[in-house]
Amino acid sequence: MSNSSAPILPGATIGVFGSGQLGRMMALAARSMGYGIAVFSPEAGSPTGQIADREVVADYADDDAVRAFVRGVHVVTFEFENVPSSVAAIAQAEGVPVRPGGHVLHTAQQRGREKSFLRQAGIPVTPFAIVNSLNALRDAVAPIGLPAVLKTTAFGYDGKGQVPIHTHADLAAAWAALKTGEAILERWVDFSHELSVVAARGCDGSFVHYGVLENRHAHHILDVTVAPARIPPVIASQAVELARAVLVALDVVGVLCVEFFLTHDGTLLVNELAPRPHNSGHLTIDAAVTSQFEQQVRAVCALPLGSTDLVRPAAMANLLGDLWQPGEPNWAAALALPGVKLHLYGKRIPRPGRKMGHLTATAAAPDQAERLVLEARRRLAIATFGIETVPAR
Ligand code: AMP
């Protein structure tokens, strides 16, 4: 059970494991509230390190470096779930609060454990089977059905470590391609919508959520999010109640995102959990009273959670490294559209598929916000010499 704890007040230092854009945006929120930020990063000059007071560059498996780091902070949190659980154990042994707790990392960093936990908690999930060999995979096909997808159980994200299976003839090649001893066979869901609920739970068990977000993926990577989701209110309430049940069952302190498929017959199935701020919640920076990053700071510091009211409908479009391939994107052309905001993550090398930043648009209605953010992203490709001729609308 969560225990109500003394607040960790501004002036204290928050220690973050993981140093990408999620840590960066949390660090920005923390700094504006007067907190110090220390980041433990596998590489120097990271997106979070650029904003932090202190960046410690070491391996997560370096127990001595982890111990020295946690001794210098007042609370420990994570910006991604694939940090080894040993980190949480060391912090706990040093008497430093770890939020969310190590048990959350342990569950969420392995698909098999996560799906089994959800099923046991009575949460509807995509039909799945955990398989440990090619023979087990062959046996699992009948109960799960085809088409299906074979996923590695560990360290998978953004579609990495996933192989589609259309027929029995694909099984051997799919098993070999994953190069793993354990995988999850999952029914391919013919969904009408992908949705997420970004929610937060405080040290005192308080619960808040940002409503339901509507997501579109391209090549397994989140592409566009629209808020609020354009779905019937009854489905939205069900999604929120399922998210609440997940946060309570996991005994989470902090922000957690529940990703759903909505099937054509109106059934919600949980695809996966992210026990941290999530890409689909980035639009809360510009569109909500309290961003998901400030919310994470409040939750891990045992402060009251902030209002999650959406001030305006909004849409977010991710900016992948691909956009840089023809040359520097035309920022001025995109920002000439009122209501459009730019967020860049300080990554120097724009590799194709790499999340470099995002655009958010706010508008009077979700459709309008979506059109606006897509138009802004389209304008990034306008040749830069044409800036002055782009009319502001
Ligand atoms: P994941 O890394 O499991 O979240 O998968 C990334 C994306 O791949 C999802 O957001 C979906 O667009 C797609 N996907 C993954 N699993 C399934 C599935 N069982 N059925 C349909 N689409 C899926």
Side-chain angles (χ1 to χ4, degrees):
M1 281 298 292
S2 312
N3 292 312
S4 153
S5 318
I8 296 165
L9 297 172
T13 297
I14 302 171
V16 189
F17 282 85
S19 54
Q21 63 269 20
L22 301 174
R24 176 188 181 90
M25 290 183 271
M26 193 190 84
L28 287 165
R31 290 200 120 196
S32 77
M33 294 171 79
Y35 286 94
I37 282 277
V39 60
F40 193 102
S41 172
E43 76 210 358
S46 63
T48 312
Q50 293 164 24
I51 306 297
D53 299 276
R54 197 154 55 84
E55 180 179 47
V56 170
V57 180
D59 197 287
Y60 299 127
D62 181 344
D63 290 354
D64 292 337
V66 169
R67 199 170 294 108
F69 178 84
V70 301
R71 283 179 180 165
V73 303
H74 297 92
V75 61
V76 163
T77 190
F78 305 91
E79 70 115 47
F80 84 138
E81 54 275 23
N82 290 331
V83 171
S85 321
S86 56
V87 166
I90 291 169
Q92 213 166 3
E94 291 295 323
V96 180
V98 183
R99 295 175 184 146
H103 65 285
V104 176
L105 276 190
H106 181 74
T107 303
Q109 67 191 191
Q110 215 259 12
R111 278 187 202 277
R113 276 201 290 270
E114 180 176 290
K115 284 242 149 72
S116 304
F117 155 79
L118 289 166
R119 189 150 68 183
Q120 270 162 24
I123 308 285
V125 290
T126 316
F128 74 95
I130 298 174
V131 294
N132 296 298
S133 66
L134 178 55
N135 278 339
L137 174 59
R138 291 191 207 283
D139 292 343
V141 167
I144 298 301
L146 290 177
V149 54
L150 190 66
K151 301 181 177 180
T152 51
T153 51
F155 296 103
Y157 64 96
D158 287 347
K160 293 185 174 68
Q162 300 195 10
V163 185
I165 296 181
H166 302 283
T167 71
H168 285 83
D170 297 337
L171 293 176
W175 181 254
L178 281 193
K179 299 190 184 69
T180 178
E182 187 177 71
I184 282 200
L185 181 70
E186 213 176 273
R187 168 106 40 92
W188 189 256
V189 179
D190 182 19
F191 53 78
S192 65
H193 292 79
E194 287 196 76
L195 305 170
S196 57
V197 174
V198 173
R201 193 157 168 269
C203 284
D204 59 356
S206 51
F207 173 85
V208 294
H209 64 86
Y210 290 92
V212 183
L213 305 162
E214 185 180 334
N215 302 318
R216 255 197 333 269
H217 291 75
H219 310 293
H220 295 276
I221 301 177
L222 183 64
D223 186 36
V224 172
T225 298
V226 179
R230 294 155 292 189
I231 54 168
V234 59
I235 303 277
S237 310
Q238 283 168 12
V240 166
E241 286 318 308
L242 288 170
R244 185 197 304 270
V246 168
L247 271 81
V248 170
L250 250 188
D251 193 17
V252 170
V253 172
V255 171
L256 182 141
C257 175
V258 183
E259 293 184 65
F260 297 92
F261 298 129
L262 176 63
T263 65
H264 291 280
D265 67 3
T267 305
L268 285 163
L269 299 171
V270 173
N271 173 32
E272 63 178 3
L273 309 180
R276 50 170 168 76
H278 186 256
N279 197 165
S280 62
H282 289 0
L283 50 71
T284 60
I285 297 175
D286 301 303
V289 173
T290 309
S291 77
Q292 63 168 347
F293 299 103
E294 179 183 337
Q295 204 71 272
Q296 178 76 341
V297 171
R298 286 172 176 245
V300 306
C301 291
L303 289 173
L305 300 180
S307 162
T308 51
D309 286 354
L310 268 196
V311 179
R312 290 192 98 195
M316 185 275 327
N318 267 336
L319 306 178
L320 301 185
D322 311 60
L323 280 165
W324 274 250
Q325 302 315 307
E328 185 70 13
N330 192 338
W331 306 119
L335 293 173
L337 294 166
V340 171
K341 309 276 278 189
L342 172 65
H343 300 263
L344 289 174
Y345 306 150
K347 298 182 184 178
R348 278 179 279 276
I349 305 169
R351 280 191 299 275
R354 190 173 197 205
K355 289 176 179 169
M356 300 295 293
H358 68 270
L359 293 169
T360 305
T362 55
D367 291 358
Q368 214 176 324
E370 183 182 26
R371 276 197 301 276
L372 189 58
V373 86
L374 292 176
E375 169 61 10
R377 190 168 63 179
R378 194 192 62 74
R379 287 180 172 213
L380 295 178
I382 297 174
T384 3
F385 58 78
I387 289 178
E388 290 81 4
T389 64
V390 175
R393 270 195 272 143

